[in-house]
Amino acid sequence: MSGARRREEPPPHAQQQQQQLQHQHAVANGGAALRGSVWSKALRSDSAWQDKDEFLDVIYWFRQIIAVILGIIWGVVPLKGFVGIAIFCLINAGVLYLYFSSFQQIDEEEYGGTWELTKEGFMTSFALFLVVWIIFYTAIHYD
């Protein structure tokens, strides 16, 4: 018989405690492990959203991404005036409406109706859009 020690498996309750500690560690570190799962759910069609705030956060951040992209495009193109603002509003509201009604297929009534989801984070995305649009337009086209 050799002098090597035999490695024993930890009992099942010890494995559960270890998983709970890993989860608590992920939350304490900014939730990086948990954030990845939110974005993977956001990019999969017909995901189940148990936490309503989580889905509203996804809507909010998608709006911010759209605002930055459209602000850059509008500034480079150079688009001016009310036409640029109107097109931004239509694209921003339209894309998010298609996202939550067709892609995610959620029940809008659980979130307060279509209007509540359509306006979630709209004003902050509009402000961000204006700032990015003005900065890019001024940097590229100002004489």
Side-chain angles (χ1 to χ4, degrees):
M1 199 171 200
S2 70
R5 291 186 181 173
R6 191 173 138 200
R7 186 172 180 214
E8 294 182 18
E9 293 284 327
H13 71 280
Q15 290 175 347
Q16 290 174 349
Q17 287 176 341
Q18 184 179 12
Q19 288 174 346
Q20 287 175 348
L21 286 173
Q22 288 173 346
H23 176 74
Q24 289 171 354
H25 181 69
V27 171
N29 287 331
L34 299 176
R35 258 185 260 133
S37 65
V38 171
W39 286 109
S40 64
K41 278 179 23 179
L43 298 175
R44 279 193 329 260
S45 118
D46 201 19
S47 297
W49 297 92
Q50 285 79 26
D51 186 8
K52 291 180 182 180
D53 288 336
E54 198 173 72
F55 183 68
L56 293 175
D57 288 345
V58 168
I59 295 288
Y60 176 86
W61 287 109
F62 272 158
R63 280 199 192 280
Q64 306 319 306
I65 292 168
I66 291 170
V68 169
I69 292 169
L70 292 181
I72 291 171
I73 292 171
W74 270 222
V76 170
V77 166
L79 202 55
K80 295 183 191 176
F82 181 74
V83 173
I85 293 172
I87 294 172
F88 166 77
C89 292
L90 290 173
I91 290 174
N92 194 329
V95 166
L96 266 299
Y97 178 77
L98 289 174
Y99 173 74
F100 67 74
S101 66
S102 297
F103 187 72
Q104 287 294 333
Q105 299 176 356
I106 59 144
D107 181 19
E108 292 97 358
E109 295 307 317
E110 289 182 28
Y111 295 90
T114 304
W115 180 247
E116 289 298 318
L117 283 170
T118 303
K119 69 179 187 174
E120 175 68 30
F122 182 80
M123 289 310 290
T124 54
S125 72
F126 182 67
L128 179 61
F129 162 74
L130 287 177
V131 168
V132 172
W133 183 19
I134 291 167
I135 288 171
F136 273 80
Y137 183 88
T138 304
I140 294 172
H141 303 288
Y142 186 71
D143 292 333

